[in-house]
């Protein structure tokens, strides 16, 4: 199974036209600059097309920080 | 915490350059690789370099926790405000037929607040282990 995973990822990196689902890829490359105003397509994706997921990303950091503060509190001796 | 003079001197020299580099990556986040999350990690590193220096004017961890929650609310408000100007939730609040340069205002604003939130979160996480659980 591990050999199969290595083989298929290497094949997809070498020739991406073999796997023929390129609709979203072509849409992002052609329309991202006019609709969002960002030359960086990664920034256009995580700030304009998928902003809902970035909100939850920020929420995960908040919950992690409160959990670590809760777990590293020193108990006071009575 | 055992510190040496070399570490204190190096921290004093490196701190403004790291802040400047972090600002560059955040503000140009929509033109070149970088953005909010990456720049926030650089801000956190710049603050944590000064943890060797004596603590006369350092921000307390309680106020940092309050600032983080306020920043999270501000990010949600900025994302929500596109419903009133455009009718679509969670997108740019500038109308769709303006130029490319006008839509950058939203991206720079959102990058800035995301970076501050990520920086305060990482500072709280890592400084909890340095101070060994002290709560002040």
């Amino acid at each position: 199974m591990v050999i199969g995973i290595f083989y298929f990822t290497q094949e997809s990196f070498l020739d991406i036209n073999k796997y023929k689902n390129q609709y979203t890829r072509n849409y992002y490359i052609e329309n991202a600059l006019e609709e969002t105003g960002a030359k960086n397509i990664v920034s256009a994706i995580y700030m304009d097309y998928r902003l809902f997921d970035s909100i939850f990303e920020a929420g995960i950091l908040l919950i992690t920080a409160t959990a670590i503060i809760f777990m590293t509190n020193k108990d006071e001796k009575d | 915490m055992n510190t040496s003079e070399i570490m204190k001197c190096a921290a004093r020299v490196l701190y403004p350059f790291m802040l400047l580099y972090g600002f560059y990556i955040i503000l140009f986040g929509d033109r070149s690789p970088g953005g909010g999350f990456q720049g926030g990690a650089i801000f956190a590193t710049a603050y944590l370099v000064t943890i060797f220096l004596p603590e006369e004017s350092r921000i307390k961890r309680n106020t940092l926790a309050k600032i983080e929650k306020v920043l999270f609310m501000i990010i949600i408000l900025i994302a929500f405000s596109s419903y009133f100007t455009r009718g679509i939730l969670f997108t740019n609040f500038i109308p769709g037929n303006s130029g490319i340069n006008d839509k950058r205002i939203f991206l720079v604003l959102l990058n800035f607040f995301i970076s501050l939130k990520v920086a305060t979160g990482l500072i709280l996480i890592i400084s909890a282990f340095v101070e060994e659980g002290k709560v002040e």
Side-chain angles (χ1 to χ4, degrees), chain A residues 45-58:
Chain A
I45 288 179
Y46 78 79
M47 271 199 229
D48 202 328
Y49 292 117
R50 299 267 185 256
L51 185 54
F52 192 56
D53 304 332
S54 305
I55 289 175
F56 281 101
E57 167 90 36

Side-chain angles (χ1 to χ4, degrees), chain B residues 34-99:
Chain B
F37 296 100
Q38 290 90 319
I42 294 182
F43 268 165
T45 313
Y47 184 84
L48 288 172
V49 158
T50 68
I51 216 159
F52 302 109
L53 304 177
E55 33 180 289
E56 286 141 0
S57 65
R58 192 179 297 163
I59 307 178
K60 291 196 172 187
R61 294 180 66 225
N62 279 337
T63 55
L64 275 180
K66 287 175 190 172
I67 286 174
E68 187 178 4
K69 293 161 194 164
V70 167
L71 283 173
F72 185 55
M73 288 298 145
I74 289 178
I75 290 176
I76 289 185
L77 277 179
I78 290 179
F80 237 84
S81 71
S82 82
Y83 184 68
F84 300 113
T85 62
R86 245 175 115 177
I88 312 173
L89 274 178
F90 297 133
T91 180
N92 216 338
F93 56 75
I94 296 173
N97 47 7
S98 3

